[in-house]
Amino acid sequence: MPRAQAPVAITAVMLAAEVCGMAGFAAFSALLPVFMPEWRLSDSDAGWISGIFYAGYLSAVPVLVSLTDRISPRRVYFASCVLAAAANLGFAVAADGFWSAMLLRALAGVGLAGTYMPGLKLLTDHVHGPGQSRMLAFYTAGFSIGSSISFLIAGAAMDASGWRAAFGIGAAGPLLAIALVALFLPREDPQLHPAPDTHVLDFRPVLRCRAAMAFVLAYLVHNFELFIVRSWIVAYLVFAAALQPGGAAGWWSVAALAALLNLIGVPATIFGNELALRFGRHRVIAAIMTASAAGCVLSGLAPGWPFGVVVAVAALHSILIIGESSALTAGAVGAAPAGYKGATMAVHSCLGFAGAFSGPVVFGFALQFAGGSATQGAWLIAFVLTGAVTLLGPLALRLGRVQPAAP
């Protein structure tokens, strides 16, 4: 079986595997309007189940990604794909309410922890030189593609066979990812993984690196906002549609719309990285995050407007919210201390997904305490709070004294 050798081909293999591995990623968020009445979930319950996925991720990512500095990332990747498949299959077969959903979504998050950043480490072990940042941008854009396809899978499966089918299909995706990497990705050079002279959880060299940590902290804020939108977008659009004179749109059509909104962000993250290469990462990231904070406020004001305008606002916010993602990750990888690229990715991903976990939970509590998701004022307050947190990202970069990166 021929193996990919050129950087573009290697990136294509890893991007395809990433998308397959994420088949069940958005299933719960896409079907939230179904689960809330069926399982009698409150807004905060829904926030917890959405957020626990990322809690599982961040609990495992320090170990799993740091291991890629010491052993082949391929081994970590394959084991984590198996776990992700098992968690999605378990949800399809056994989930019946809040606590079972919490457990199985947490395990699915652990699976993602061992595939997303270890997959990026696999990529950077094979692709070097000035083109690495560009290939990295395509890989990180694959996260939006994978989440979009996951929304589509969940909606179509629900329409055809019910929600359990959506998670059953989600279980098949990680197994296909294993096959793609095993068949088409070249083997790594064992000399790429000499063990550093510290233990696997010693992150002090990374934490002392001011340049890398500035990007990491900004990434935490970025994910806080991003995963609020990814977790709550379907519920938000269903609420906005219900306010229209014609009543609510079908939940499946809204899930498909959410998938399209995710896809809109794919070129934005690639273009954002290109802007960062040309004009400097600090300047471009700060500008995009500030604009995205304004997009939060606009989203909070929009639900009562004509539905086409609501969708346009959501599309604009989707573009802004993802625009700095690749630039942040490339900045952290580029600033990593020598010999600690995997550890830097671990810290980057762990703190980033601490934001991903806390964002949906905080948003759910904000909705509940502001009057509930059935009221416009609650959405406005929750989105304004999100925008205020987003503005901490440019502040983190400024306090980190990160100079604009050279093109």
Side-chain angles (χ1 to χ4, degrees):
M1 181 69 65
R3 308 247 178 173
Q5 299 295 334
V8 172
I10 290 170
T11 304
V13 170
M14 291 310 305
L15 194 154
E18 177 186 12
V19 170
C20 290
M22 292 179 65
F25 169 79
F28 182 79
S29 296
L31 304 179
L32 191 55
V34 175
F35 287 120
M36 289 187 74
E38 183 170 328
W39 288 350
R40 298 181 182 178
L41 301 176
S42 68
D43 294 329
S44 58
D45 289 339
W48 273 111
I49 298 173
S50 295
I52 200 66
F53 178 90
Y54 307 110
Y57 181 104
L58 69 91
S59 70
V61 78
V63 174
L64 295 178
V65 184
S66 295
L67 279 173
T68 65
D69 282 331
R70 302 161 186 270
I71 64 174
S72 169
R74 187 184 298 254
R75 294 168 60 186
V76 176
Y77 190 91
F78 287 172
S80 300
C81 281
V82 171
L83 177 61
N88 281 298
L89 183 61
F91 202 106
V93 172
D96 60 1
F98 178 80
W99 289 110
S100 57
M102 287 276 284
L103 172 62
L104 292 163
R105 290 302 284 168
L107 290 175
V110 174
L112 182 66
T115 55
Y116 180 50
M117 282 292 168
L120 181 61
K121 181 65 160 52
L122 271 171
L123 176 63
T124 58
D125 281 350
H126 288 92
V127 177
H128 308 282
Q132 185 185 83
S133 176
R134 189 165 284 116
M135 295 302 103
L136 185 151
F138 280 102
Y139 180 85
T140 55
F143 200 102
S144 293
I145 298 173
S147 61
S148 299
I149 292 176
S150 182
F151 272 109
L152 288 172
I153 289 172
M158 175 67 196
D159 194 42
S161 303
W163 65 261
R164 294 188 187 275
F167 287 91
I169 295 173
L175 302 180
L176 182 56
I178 291 176
L180 287 170
V181 173
L183 292 174
F184 298 112
L185 192 74
R187 292 281 180 180
E188 308 88 72
D189 181 352
Q191 295 183 352
L192 286 173
H193 307 287
D197 58 1
T198 56
H199 62 76
V200 70
L201 293 180
D202 185 358
F203 299 116
R204 288 174 296 177
V206 180
L207 297 175
R208 287 194 295 261
C209 181
R210 184 183 292 272
M213 287 304 300
F215 289 112
V216 169
L217 294 174
Y219 186 65
L220 184 159
V221 172
H222 161 77
N223 274 2
F224 182 92
E225 179 191 12
L226 175 64
F227 286 93
I228 282 173
V229 173
R230 284 186 171 158
S231 296
W232 286 96
I233 185 63
V234 173
Y236 171 77
L237 291 173
V238 167
F239 171 73
L243 297 178
Q244 305 304 308
W251 72 268
W252 153 234
S253 62
V254 173
L257 180 58
L260 293 176
L261 292 175
N262 266 301
L263 283 174
I264 288 172
V266 172
T269 190
I270 296 171
F271 184 62
N273 187 64
E274 294 297 318
L275 288 176
L277 288 171
R278 184 176 180 87
F279 298 110
R281 294 194 186 280
H282 177 271
R283 183 184 308 165
V284 169
I285 291 169
I288 294 174
M289 295 190 84
T290 301
S292 190
C296 286
V297 177
L298 199 59
S299 295
L301 293 169
W305 299 349
F307 193 65
V309 178
V310 176
V311 173
V313 168
L316 175 62
H317 194 196
S318 295
I319 291 170
L320 294 171
I321 204 172
I322 198 65
E324 79 278 18
S325 181
S326 294
L328 284 167
T329 299
V333 171
Y340 288 89
K341 183 163 60 175
T344 301
M345 289 181 184
V347 174
H348 181 72
S349 198
C350 183
L351 291 184
F353 278 80
F357 160 66
S358 59
V361 175
V362 169
F363 197 85
F365 274 108
L367 283 174
Q368 185 163 322
F369 287 111
S373 58
T375 63
Q376 283 185 257
W379 287 100
L380 175 59
I381 290 171
F383 270 114
V384 168
L385 174 63
T386 303
V389 173
T390 301
L391 291 175
L392 296 176
L395 178 62
L397 288 177
R398 181 177 293 276
L399 293 178
R401 298 178 184 174
V402 176
Q403 298 299 318

Short mmCIF file of all heavy atoms in Angstrom, two decimals, residues 116 133-142 219 222 266 268-274 276 281 285 322-332 348:
data_model
loop_
_atom_site.label_atom_id
_atom_site.label_comp_id
_atom_site.label_asym_id
_atom_site.label_seq_id
_atom_site.Cartn_x
_atom_site.Cartn_y
_atom_site.Cartn_z
N TYR A 116 -6.71 14.47 18.75
CA TYR A 116 -6.60 15.78 18.10
C TYR A 116 -5.16 16.30 18.14
O TYR A 116 -4.52 16.49 17.10
CB TYR A 116 -7.56 16.77 18.74
CG TYR A 116 -7.49 18.16 18.13
CD1 TYR A 116 -7.56 18.33 16.75
CD2 TYR A 116 -7.35 19.29 18.93
CE1 TYR A 116 -7.49 19.60 16.19
CE2 TYR A 116 -7.29 20.56 18.37
CZ TYR A 116 -7.35 20.70 17.00
OH TYR A 116 -7.28 21.96 16.45
N SER A 133 3.62 25.75 9.18
CA SER A 133 2.54 26.56 9.72
C SER A 133 1.30 26.49 8.84
O SER A 133 0.17 26.42 9.33
CB SER A 133 3.01 28.01 9.88
OG SER A 133 1.95 28.84 10.31
N ARG A 134 1.53 26.49 7.52
CA ARG A 134 0.39 26.44 6.60
C ARG A 134 -0.32 25.09 6.67
O ARG A 134 -1.55 25.02 6.68
CB ARG A 134 0.89 26.74 5.18
CG ARG A 134 -0.21 26.93 4.17
CD ARG A 134 0.30 27.57 2.89
NE ARG A 134 0.53 29.00 3.09
CZ ARG A 134 1.73 29.57 3.00
NH1 ARG A 134 2.80 28.85 2.73
NH2 ARG A 134 1.86 30.88 3.18
N MET A 135 0.45 24.00 6.72
CA MET A 135 -0.16 22.68 6.83
C MET A 135 -0.88 22.52 8.17
O MET A 135 -1.94 21.91 8.25
CB MET A 135 0.91 21.59 6.66
CG MET A 135 1.57 21.53 5.29
SD MET A 135 0.41 21.28 3.90
CE MET A 135 0.31 22.95 3.23
N LEU A 136 -0.30 23.10 9.21
CA LEU A 136 -0.93 23.08 10.53
C LEU A 136 -2.27 23.80 10.48
O LEU A 136 -3.25 23.35 11.10
CB LEU A 136 0.00 23.73 11.55
CG LEU A 136 -0.37 23.71 13.02
CD1 LEU A 136 0.88 23.74 13.87
CD2 LEU A 136 -1.24 24.92 13.38
N ALA A 137 -2.34 24.90 9.73
CA ALA A 137 -3.60 25.64 9.61
C ALA A 137 -4.68 24.79 8.95
O ALA A 137 -5.85 24.82 9.36
CB ALA A 137 -3.38 26.93 8.81
N PHE A 138 -4.30 24.02 7.94
CA PHE A 138 -5.28 23.14 7.30
C PHE A 138 -5.76 22.06 8.26
O PHE A 138 -6.95 21.72 8.30
CB PHE A 138 -4.69 22.51 6.04
CG PHE A 138 -4.70 23.42 4.84
CD1 PHE A 138 -3.54 24.07 4.44
CD2 PHE A 138 -5.86 23.64 4.13
CE1 PHE A 138 -3.54 24.92 3.35
CE2 PHE A 138 -5.87 24.49 3.03
CZ PHE A 138 -4.71 25.13 2.63
N TYR A 139 -4.83 21.52 9.05
CA TYR A 139 -5.23 20.49 10.02
C TYR A 139 -6.19 21.05 11.06
O TYR A 139 -7.21 20.43 11.37
CB TYR A 139 -3.99 19.92 10.70
CG TYR A 139 -4.31 18.85 11.73
CD1 TYR A 139 -4.48 17.52 11.35
CD2 TYR A 139 -4.45 19.17 13.08
CE1 TYR A 139 -4.79 16.54 12.29
CE2 TYR A 139 -4.75 18.20 14.02
CZ TYR A 139 -4.91 16.89 13.62
OH TYR A 139 -5.23 15.93 14.56
N THR A 140 -5.87 22.21 11.62
CA THR A 140 -6.76 22.78 12.62
C THR A 140 -8.10 23.18 12.02
O THR A 140 -9.13 23.12 12.69
CB THR A 140 -6.11 23.98 13.32
OG1 THR A 140 -5.70 24.94 12.35
CG2 THR A 140 -4.90 23.56 14.13
N ALA A 141 -8.10 23.57 10.74
CA ALA A 141 -9.38 23.85 10.07
C ALA A 141 -10.22 22.58 9.97
O ALA A 141 -11.46 22.64 9.93
CB ALA A 141 -9.13 24.42 8.67
N GLY A 142 -9.55 21.43 9.95
CA GLY A 142 -10.28 20.17 9.91
C GLY A 142 -11.18 19.96 11.11
O GLY A 142 -12.16 19.21 11.03
N TYR A 219 -5.62 31.11 23.82
CA TYR A 219 -6.35 29.95 23.28
C TYR A 219 -7.42 29.49 24.26
O TYR A 219 -8.51 29.05 23.85
CB TYR A 219 -5.36 28.83 22.99
CG TYR A 219 -5.93 27.62 22.31
CD1 TYR A 219 -6.45 27.69 21.02
CD2 TYR A 219 -5.93 26.38 22.94
CE1 TYR A 219 -6.96 26.56 20.38
CE2 TYR A 219 -6.42 25.24 22.32
CZ TYR A 219 -6.94 25.35 21.03
OH TYR A 219 -7.44 24.22 20.42
N HIS A 222 -10.22 31.81 23.70
CA HIS A 222 -10.79 31.49 22.38
C HIS A 222 -11.74 30.29 22.47
O HIS A 222 -12.86 30.31 21.96
CB HIS A 222 -9.66 31.19 21.40
CG HIS A 222 -10.06 30.44 20.18
ND1 HIS A 222 -10.71 31.02 19.12
CD2 HIS A 222 -9.91 29.12 19.86
CE1 HIS A 222 -10.94 30.10 18.18
NE2 HIS A 222 -10.47 28.94 18.61
N VAL A 266 -14.19 27.38 8.18
CA VAL A 266 -13.00 26.68 7.69
C VAL A 266 -12.05 27.60 6.94
O VAL A 266 -10.87 27.70 7.28
CB VAL A 266 -13.39 25.46 6.83
CG1 VAL A 266 -12.17 24.85 6.18
CG2 VAL A 266 -14.12 24.43 7.69
N ALA A 268 -11.97 30.73 7.12
CA ALA A 268 -11.60 31.84 8.01
C ALA A 268 -10.37 31.52 8.83
O ALA A 268 -9.49 32.38 9.01
CB ALA A 268 -12.78 32.18 8.93
N THR A 269 -10.26 30.30 9.34
CA THR A 269 -9.10 29.97 10.16
C THR A 269 -7.83 29.88 9.33
O THR A 269 -6.75 30.25 9.76
CB THR A 269 -9.33 28.68 10.96
OG1 THR A 269 -8.29 28.52 11.91
CG2 THR A 269 -9.39 27.45 10.07
N ILE A 270 -7.96 29.41 8.08
CA ILE A 270 -6.80 29.36 7.18
C ILE A 270 -6.37 30.78 6.81
O ILE A 270 -5.18 31.13 6.84
CB ILE A 270 -7.14 28.53 5.93
CG1 ILE A 270 -7.41 27.07 6.34
CG2 ILE A 270 -6.00 28.60 4.92
CD1 ILE A 270 -7.96 26.23 5.22
N PHE A 271 -7.35 31.61 6.46
CA PHE A 271 -7.06 32.99 6.09
C PHE A 271 -6.48 33.76 7.28
O PHE A 271 -5.58 34.59 7.12
CB PHE A 271 -8.33 33.67 5.58
CG PHE A 271 -8.13 35.07 5.07
CD1 PHE A 271 -7.30 35.32 4.00
CD2 PHE A 271 -8.77 36.14 5.69
CE1 PHE A 271 -7.11 36.62 3.53
CE2 PHE A 271 -8.60 37.43 5.23
CZ PHE A 271 -7.76 37.67 4.15
N GLY A 272 -6.99 33.49 8.47
CA GLY A 272 -6.47 34.15 9.66
C GLY A 272 -5.00 33.85 9.88
O GLY A 272 -4.21 34.72 10.26
N ASN A 273 -4.60 32.59 9.64
CA ASN A 273 -3.20 32.23 9.79
C ASN A 273 -2.35 32.93 8.73
O ASN A 273 -1.21 33.35 9.01
CB ASN A 273 -3.02 30.72 9.69
CG ASN A 273 -1.61 30.28 10.00
OD1 ASN A 273 -1.12 30.45 11.11
ND2 ASN A 273 -0.93 29.72 9.01
N GLU A 274 -2.87 33.05 7.52
CA GLU A 274 -2.13 33.76 6.47
C GLU A 274 -1.93 35.23 6.85
O GLU A 274 -0.86 35.80 6.64
CB GLU A 274 -2.86 33.63 5.13
CG GLU A 274 -2.91 32.23 4.58
CD GLU A 274 -1.54 31.67 4.26
OE1 GLU A 274 -0.70 32.41 3.70
OE2 GLU A 274 -1.29 30.49 4.58
N ALA A 276 -1.79 36.34 9.85
CA ALA A 276 -0.82 36.37 10.95
C ALA A 276 0.61 36.25 10.43
O ALA A 276 1.52 36.89 10.95
CB ALA A 276 -1.13 35.24 11.93
N ARG A 281 1.38 37.76 14.41
CA ARG A 281 0.35 37.00 15.12
C ARG A 281 -0.35 37.83 16.19
O ARG A 281 -1.57 37.78 16.32
CB ARG A 281 0.98 35.75 15.76
CG ARG A 281 1.48 34.77 14.74
CD ARG A 281 1.78 33.41 15.33
NE ARG A 281 2.38 32.60 14.28
CZ ARG A 281 1.71 31.99 13.32
NH1 ARG A 281 0.40 32.08 13.28
NH2 ARG A 281 2.34 31.29 12.40
N ILE A 285 -4.35 38.36 15.86
CA ILE A 285 -5.17 37.65 16.85
C ILE A 285 -5.97 38.64 17.69
O ILE A 285 -7.17 38.45 17.92
CB ILE A 285 -4.29 36.75 17.74
CG1 ILE A 285 -3.73 35.59 16.92
CG2 ILE A 285 -5.09 36.22 18.93
CD1 ILE A 285 -2.64 34.81 17.64
N ILE A 322 -13.67 31.76 14.75
CA ILE A 322 -12.67 30.75 14.40
C ILE A 322 -11.45 31.34 13.72
O ILE A 322 -10.45 30.66 13.51
CB ILE A 322 -13.32 29.67 13.48
CG1 ILE A 322 -12.50 28.38 13.46
CG2 ILE A 322 -13.52 30.22 12.08
CD1 ILE A 322 -12.45 27.67 14.79
N GLY A 323 -11.50 32.63 13.41
CA GLY A 323 -10.46 33.23 12.58
C GLY A 323 -9.06 33.16 13.15
O GLY A 323 -8.08 33.11 12.40
N GLU A 324 -8.93 33.17 14.48
CA GLU A 324 -7.59 33.17 15.07
C GLU A 324 -7.14 31.81 15.56
O GLU A 324 -6.04 31.67 16.12
CB GLU A 324 -7.54 34.17 16.25
CG GLU A 324 -8.15 33.68 17.55
CD GLU A 324 -9.66 33.82 17.62
OE1 GLU A 324 -10.29 33.99 16.56
OE2 GLU A 324 -10.21 33.77 18.74
N SER A 325 -7.94 30.76 15.35
CA SER A 325 -7.65 29.45 15.92
C SER A 325 -6.31 28.90 15.46
O SER A 325 -5.45 28.52 16.27
CB SER A 325 -8.78 28.48 15.58
OG SER A 325 -8.52 27.21 16.15
N SER A 326 -6.10 28.83 14.15
CA SER A 326 -4.85 28.29 13.64
C SER A 326 -3.66 29.16 14.03
O SER A 326 -2.57 28.65 14.33
CB SER A 326 -4.92 28.18 12.11
OG SER A 326 -5.88 27.24 11.72
N ALA A 327 -3.85 30.47 14.01
CA ALA A 327 -2.75 31.37 14.36
C ALA A 327 -2.32 31.17 15.80
O ALA A 327 -1.12 31.23 16.12
CB ALA A 327 -3.18 32.82 14.13
N LEU A 328 -3.27 30.92 16.70
CA LEU A 328 -2.93 30.66 18.10
C LEU A 328 -2.14 29.37 18.26
O LEU A 328 -1.12 29.32 18.95
CB LEU A 328 -4.21 30.61 18.94
CG LEU A 328 -4.88 31.95 19.25
CD1 LEU A 328 -6.28 31.71 19.79
CD2 LEU A 328 -4.05 32.75 20.24
N THR A 329 -2.62 28.30 17.62
CA THR A 329 -1.95 27.01 17.76
C THR A 329 -0.57 27.04 17.11
O THR A 329 0.41 26.55 17.68
CB THR A 329 -2.81 25.90 17.14
OG1 THR A 329 -4.06 25.84 17.84
CG2 THR A 329 -2.12 24.55 17.25
N ALA A 330 -0.48 27.64 15.92
CA ALA A 330 0.83 27.74 15.26
C ALA A 330 1.79 28.59 16.11
O ALA A 330 2.99 28.29 16.19
CB ALA A 330 0.66 28.36 13.88
N GLY A 331 1.27 29.63 16.75
CA GLY A 331 2.11 30.45 17.61
C GLY A 331 2.66 29.68 18.78
O GLY A 331 3.84 29.79 19.12
N ALA A 332 1.81 28.88 19.42
CA ALA A 332 2.26 28.08 20.56
C ALA A 332 3.28 27.04 20.14
O ALA A 332 4.31 26.83 20.81
CB ALA A 332 1.07 27.42 21.24
N HIS A 348 -1.08 23.66 25.97
CA HIS A 348 -1.95 24.44 25.08
C HIS A 348 -3.34 23.83 25.01
O HIS A 348 -4.36 24.52 25.16
CB HIS A 348 -1.30 24.47 23.70
CG HIS A 348 -2.05 25.24 22.66
ND1 HIS A 348 -2.12 26.62 22.64
CD2 HIS A 348 -2.74 24.83 21.57
CE1 HIS A 348 -2.82 27.02 21.60
NE2 HIS A 348 -3.21 25.95 20.93
#
